[in-house]
Amino acid sequence: MPFTFASPRFLLLLLALPLAVWMGKRTLAGLDPWRRRLALGLRLLGILLLTCALAELQWKDVLDTVQVIFVVDQSLSIPKEEQHVALDVINAATKDMDKLRDKAKLIVFGKDARIETSLEKGSEVLVTSSYISREHTDIQSALRAALGAFDSNVRKRIVLVTDGNETIGDARAGVAQAKLQQARVDVVPLDYSYENEILVDKLVIPAEAKIGEPFKVRVVTNAFKPAKARISLFQEGSQVEVHEVDLTAGANVEMFDMILKKPGFFRVSAVVNAIDSRDDKLYQNNEGNGFVFVKGESSVLYVHRAGDEEAISRPLVEALEAERLSLTKIPVTHFPQQASGLQVYDAIILDDVPRDAFSQAQLEAIEFAVANEGIGLVMLGGEHSFGCGDWRDTPVEKALPVDMDIKEESTIPNGALVIVMHSSELPDANRWAIQVIKASIDTLSRRDQVGLMQYGMMGGVEWVFKLQPAIDKTTLKTLADKLSPGDMPDFDAVFVSALDSLKPAQAAVKHMILLSDGDPSPPRPEVLAAYKQGRITCSTVAFGAHDGRDGAQHNAMKRIASELGGKCYFIDGPQELPKIFTRETQRVRRSLIVNDHFTPRFAQKSEVLKGIDGLPPLEGHVLTEPKPRAEVPLVSHKGAPILAHWQYGAGKSLAFTSDATNRWAQGWVRWSGFQNFWAQAIRWVSKDVAESPFQVATKVVGETGKVLLDAVDDHGEFIDGLSVEGVVRSPKDERTNVTLRQVGPGRYEGDFPAKEVGAYTVSVLTKNKDGKRQHSFTTGMVFPYSEEFKKLKTDRVLLAALAR
């Protein structure tokens, strides 16, 4: 019916209509017939209207259009064959649609939900293309999306196609909401059951272990039926042991003995694999993760240049070993690739090693280890260190207490560099050359001078930009982009033009780099003599020499470099250019080296100099400038930093701009206080291992990791008002900063996204109200694989409840 009554009991009043007719015949008998009929009609109409009002007559709008929204589960727990079943259900339903009266849509969901398409009669869905997060099942959010997708003025019907294994959300609450909005929910179960499956339930490992002492690792697996399997144990991604086992149906525990011989934070994982692949269908639940922290003695990583035994500062090494400091000596080529490889050390010493020996990831790992894990950093001076080693504008410079770029112009002897470019027939050579020339400009300090010259396409020497201070580097690099060299007949003209600029230049080091195939005629002897007289050096790069490494062209380039105190490089391809230019540009940057006899002066008090009264002289150092917050206990006779240190994040760093060898520090090496000085310096900078009254914990909520810190002092009083920062490293070594906010007395919490399965490293640093560092901590958190891979059959109990 198109109408209804809210209070139908009042319809009993309609029984008064016959009574009104009977009474009207008697009381209206004296009226004319037409008046009698009119009066009786009005009485009956009044009774009818009164009855309808009391019964609350409501007009009901009849909706002929039915809209069906299919909500299909596509989470990872659904087997592929069942996903095809879901689409078959939809395609079968669309065949029976009324083209005029029925509407339909398809929504797919996992953790989130997306409208895939609108459906029409006879349409077929063969695949879906919506991007959804499939690691979880959230039926509630899928139903909410369906309710929001209905058109107006339609009868609402939802067909939920799922296995019922929800991992987040509340499906019952979603159905209740649908009922409130008068949407019918029908449920189509996706029926399946993994009969043959093996999974890792958990990895049981102690939170802490002692160095060199064995401890137990328990791998708890679950098998649906007896099966043979292989369980592998991994430490930091490297396999350490494998057991072949006979699993029984149900829970199984396999024991491993593990010994860790170094201190630090270690990630441990276990993987189970069925020997017969038919006994295991899902790989996602085959891994369990954990972590262990190993305490040990103080350990220092000493890093020296590779392939050069003289690069090791033996007096320093012997002094530290005499102080019983545990020293690990490695060439720079063996430096760890990730920050996790540095956790076993309390300090890192970089002894005269160049920046180009490290990858960008290694540089970032050093800075991260100091700032967030409290590891100390020491850099010693030398020809390959500080600004001479191209450490400017690196993450390591950021962690050090000194700047490599000298702003006090009066203290630094500058260098002058002219680059000469000759055309090359190697593919894409000019583009490569421009890129490395621009990189060289970046390497120079503001006090250094640089000029770029070419032999033009139209003939004749052309300055792309004349010799000038490398101040406006952006403009210089823009000009370098316009480089377009031609084929020069001889070197004489470019050498003369470069000489005219370099000879009068006010620079301590004057250098020229010549890129050519070696084909032009050599410069005149008198021109080369003028270079020697002006103490101007020249290195040559045989760039695409036609007659090869042993040909006349390369030999001509070698003669020029040899006569002018430079080096000659032969290259077959442009990929070798960057290292050559970095090395050659450092010739100019070596103007930062001060070879001078002086005795360092005391400038500030320092724990590093405790008990030290007099100091022997030094023969040289590398120029640097102190950063504003740095402490500079020792300076040169001209006020330049010799010893500087500061607090950087959770750690400390120290710069000693002279060396620890007989080259600059021969007086120090023979000095009776040498051992005590370096022992105090390394112990001061090393990681603080003092016990803390604070407690740090972690937990996982959904796809969010939580860091919890309880701050209580020795008297049991809560500590409020702290500044607490943290850095989280994911299993893929990606970093996330997290700020812990105070949520209660002495209680601090912070959240970070956790989506990757595995062990996370969490480093926390606390500062008091005055901004002074208090404590640093390193702990871990395990993000397990999704519950999707533990619920391995359809939840018919939940689905039946939703349908009811």
Side-chain angles (χ1 to χ4, degrees):
M1 292 186 296
F3 56 85
T4 185
F5 296 94
S7 303
R9 64 184 182 276
F10 288 102
L11 294 178
L12 293 172
L13 293 175
L14 294 176
L15 297 175
L17 291 175
L19 179 62
V21 173
W22 178 77
M23 291 181 64
K25 287 182 179 180
R26 298 184 61 187
T27 58
L28 301 173
L31 298 176
D32 293 334
W34 69 272
R35 288 184 177 177
R36 187 169 61 249
R37 285 193 292 272
L38 178 60
L40 182 59
L42 290 173
R43 288 181 182 182
L44 295 176
L45 180 61
I47 295 171
L48 180 62
L49 292 175
L50 178 62
T51 302
C52 289
L54 293 173
E56 297 182 79
L57 174 66
Q58 295 176 347
W59 185 260
K60 183 179 179 182
D61 186 13
V62 178
L63 300 175
D64 291 329
T65 301
V66 177
Q67 187 169 34
V68 181
I69 296 185
F70 295 92
V71 180
V72 178
D73 188 348
Q74 290 196 334
S75 60
L76 288 174
S77 62
I78 307 294
K80 287 185 178 180
E81 53 271 23
E82 289 302 317
Q83 293 181 15
H84 291 302
V85 168
L87 297 182
D88 291 342
V89 169
I90 296 166
N91 293 332
T94 56
K95 291 178 181 178
D96 298 329
M97 286 175 59
D98 186 317
K99 198 167 186 177
L100 298 177
R101 298 178 58 189
D102 294 341
K103 295 181 177 181
K105 292 180 181 179
L106 170 60
I107 289 179
V108 295
F109 76 97
K111 178 188 174 186
D112 45 6
R114 296 282 185 272
I115 297 177
E116 172 71 21
T117 185
S118 295
L119 302 171
E120 297 178 355
K121 181 178 176 62
S123 62
E124 270 196 324
V125 181
L126 300 178
V127 293
T128 58
S129 58
S130 295
Y131 177 79
I132 57 171
S133 175
R134 302 177 64 204
E135 288 77 16
H136 287 279
T137 301
D138 188 349
I139 298 175
Q140 182 181 12
S141 69
L143 293 174
R144 189 184 304 121
L147 292 173
F150 278 115
D151 297 340
S152 57
N153 299 322
V154 294
R155 289 161 58 192
K156 302 173 183 177
R157 184 183 177 193
I158 296 173
V159 178
L160 177 63
V161 187
T162 180
D163 62 356
N165 289 322
E166 61 176 343
T167 59
I168 52 178
D170 184 350
R172 288 181 172 86
V175 169
Q177 184 63 35
K179 188 175 181 179
L180 286 174
Q181 296 190 29
Q182 297 182 344
R184 175 177 171 173
V185 179
D186 294 323
V187 179
V188 178
L190 290 176
D191 258 322
Y192 67 90
S193 176
Y194 287 97
E195 301 297 335
N196 302 329
E197 190 62 25
I198 299 172
L199 56 89
V200 176
D201 248 347
K202 58 185 173 180
L203 187 67
V204 182
I205 186 171
E208 289 190 1
K210 292 183 178 180
I211 188 169
E213 292 188 8
F215 58 91
K216 298 290 184 184
V217 177
R218 295 171 174 83
V219 183
V220 182
T221 59
N222 203 320
F224 282 32
K225 70 171 190 178
K228 290 183 179 293
R230 188 177 292 109
I231 301 177
S232 304
L233 192 69
F234 294 84
Q235 172 198 319
E236 291 296 333
S238 299
Q239 184 174 289
V240 293
E241 195 171 354
V242 180
H243 290 181
E244 287 198 3
V245 296
D246 292 314
L247 299 177
T248 60
N252 298 262
V253 179
E254 185 65 17
M255 307 281 285
F256 289 84
D257 288 318
M258 179 173 273
I259 299 176
L260 293 170
K261 297 181 180 180
K262 292 182 178 180
F265 180 92
F266 296 93
R267 307 182 207 195
V268 180
S269 60
V271 177
V272 61
N273 289 301
I275 293 177
D276 186 343
S277 60
R278 293 173 297 180
D279 292 332
D280 194 17
K281 300 296 183 185
L282 294 174
Y283 70 88
Q284 292 93 337
N285 54 16
N286 289 3
E287 182 176 344
N289 292 276
F291 60 87
V292 60
F293 185 77
V294 181
K295 292 185 176 180
E297 296 179 355
S298 176
S299 179
V300 178
L301 180 65
Y302 173 84
V303 187
H304 60 86
R305 292 194 310 281
D308 185 357
E309 282 298 312
E310 294 183 1
I312 298 176
S313 300
R314 298 204 176 277
L316 173 63
V317 170
E318 291 169 2
L320 296 180
E321 288 177 341
E323 286 286 328
R324 298 194 176 182
L325 286 168
S326 176
L327 207 63
T328 301
K329 301 181 286 294
I330 63 167
V332 67
T333 49
H334 293 174
F335 196 83
Q337 294 297 319
Q338 297 180 335
S340 58
L342 300 173
Q343 289 180 335
V344 299
Y345 303 106
D346 295 325
I348 303 164
I349 301 174
L350 301 178
D351 188 357
D352 195 20
V353 287
R355 176 256 175 273
D356 65 3
F358 296 83
S359 68
Q360 184 65 22
Q362 288 173 319
L363 298 176
E364 291 173 356
I366 295 172
E367 190 271 339
F368 179 88
V370 179
N372 299 287
E373 295 174 351
I375 296 171
L377 174 64
V378 176
M379 180 175 281
L380 274 67
E383 286 190 354
H384 308 89
S385 190
F386 297 106
C388 299
D390 196 27
W391 286 96
R392 189 170 59 86
D393 293 335
T394 65
V396 172
E397 185 197 33
K398 188 178 174 184
L400 287 170
V402 292
D403 281 321
M404 316 295 182
D405 202 1
I406 310 303
K407 300 175 183 64
E408 289 292 333
E409 297 186 0
S410 61
T411 66
I412 176 172
N414 66 329
L417 172 68
V418 170
I419 303 169
V420 179
M421 182 67 187
H422 175 205
S423 64
S424 172
E425 296 178 12
L426 288 176
D428 214 18
N430 288 345
R431 185 182 66 83
W432 269 84
I434 290 170
Q435 295 305 313
V436 294
I437 288 169
K438 290 162 70 173
S440 296
I441 293 170
D442 275 331
T443 303
L444 297 169
S445 77
R446 293 167 56 87
R447 278 279 290 157
D448 293 323
Q449 300 173 60
V450 61
L452 179 58
M453 186 193 301
Q454 67 179 2
Y455 192 86
M457 297 291 290
M458 304 304 292
V461 175
E462 297 176 356
W463 284 95
V464 179
F465 53 82
K466 289 189 175 182
L467 191 67
Q468 58 186 285
I471 297 173
D472 188 357
K473 295 181 180 180
T474 302
T475 299
L476 296 180
K477 289 188 289 185
T478 301
L479 292 171
D481 281 325
K482 300 176 181 178
L483 192 70
S484 181
D487 192 16
M488 72 176 78
D490 58 66
F491 289 136
D492 204 72
V494 294
F495 267 74
V496 169
S497 185
L499 177 66
D500 290 342
S501 289
L502 286 169
K503 190 173 182 179
Q506 298 298 309
V509 177
K510 302 176 183 181
H511 188 58
M512 173 175 163
I513 304 175
L514 171 65
L515 287 88
S516 173
D517 58 10
D519 191 38
S521 301
R524 289 171 291 141
E526 55 266 33
V527 174
L528 295 179
Y531 268 72
K532 294 177 189 176
Q533 186 179 2
R535 301 179 68 182
I536 301 169
T537 57
C538 176
S539 290
T540 58
V541 183
F543 193 31
H546 305 300
D547 52 1
R549 187 179 295 272
D550 299 321
Q553 295 168 344
H554 180 216
N555 289 331
M557 299 280 279
K558 284 168 66 176
R559 282 194 295 273
I560 294 172
S562 176
E563 195 162 345
L564 297 183
K567 291 189 69 174
C568 178
Y569 304 90
F570 179 89
I571 59 175
D572 295 312
Q575 65 276 5
E576 299 173 59
L577 279 174
K579 282 190 176 180
I580 291 173
F581 262 77
T582 299
R583 194 175 300 126
E584 286 301 310
T585 307
Q586 283 172 12
R587 283 176 173 263
V588 177
R589 294 308 312 276
R590 285 192 185 130
S591 60
L592 292 167
I593 293 176
V594 177
N595 289 302
D596 207 350
H597 179 86
F598 67 94
T599 299
R601 294 189 289 105
F602 291 99
Q604 285 180 287
K605 289 185 177 181
S606 168
E607 291 180 39
V608 176
L609 300 176
K610 190 175 181 180
I612 296 175
D613 296 324
L615 295 171
L618 292 168
E619 306 301 324
H621 69 98
V622 183
L623 280 173
T624 62
E625 279 195 356
K627 290 179 179 175
R629 291 190 300 105
E631 297 179 59
V632 188
L634 295 180
V635 297
S636 73
H637 56 308
K638 293 185 178 179
I642 299 299
L643 173 67
H645 54 66
W646 73 345
Q647 183 81 44
Y648 182 73
K652 302 170 186 173
S653 67
L654 180 148
F656 188 75
T657 61
S658 189
D659 65 8
T661 71
N662 283 314
R663 182 191 175 191
W664 287 342
Q666 51 188 274
W668 283 54
V669 169
R670 294 191 294 268
W671 172 43
S672 60
F674 181 79
Q675 181 173 314
N676 183 45
F677 168 78
W678 279 113
Q680 288 185 172
I682 301 305
R683 288 193 172 110
W684 178 86
V685 83
S686 292
K687 183 194 297 183
D688 182 8
V689 294
E691 292 294 326
S692 166
F694 298 171
Q695 297 293 320
V696 178
T698 58
K699 65 179 181 179
V700 180
V701 180
E703 288 188 333
T704 299
K706 289 187 174 291
V707 188
L708 314 166
L709 182 139
D710 290 307
V712 183
D713 64 19
D714 294 334
H715 305 291
E717 299 292 330
F718 295 118
I719 303 176
D720 297 329
L722 293 176
S723 170
V724 188
E725 301 290 332
V727 178
V728 179
R729 282 194 298 117
S730 75
K732 293 183 179 177
D733 214 43
E734 295 169 347
R735 298 166 193 172
T736 303
N737 295 320
V738 56
T739 299
L740 279 68
R741 61 197 179 281
Q742 186 166 1
V743 296
R747 179 80 168 186
Y748 301 82
E749 288 188 8
D751 298 343
F752 61 91
K755 296 182 179 180
E756 296 172 21
V757 174
Y760 289 72
T761 306
V762 182
S763 301
V764 178
L765 172 66
T766 66
K767 297 179 182 177
N768 61 18
K769 294 178 181 178
D770 299 326
K772 186 178 180 181
R773 170 187 172 275
Q774 286 190 313
H775 299 284
S776 61
F777 317 83
T778 298
T779 185
M781 184 200 77
V782 174
F783 184 62
Y785 57 79
S786 172
E787 291 291 318
E788 290 281 313
F789 305 111
K790 285 189 176 180
K791 300 177 179 181
L792 302 178
K793 63 180 180 179
T794 304
D795 190 344
R796 279 196 158 272
V797 175
L798 175 64
L799 296 181
L802 298 182
R804 285 195 302 272

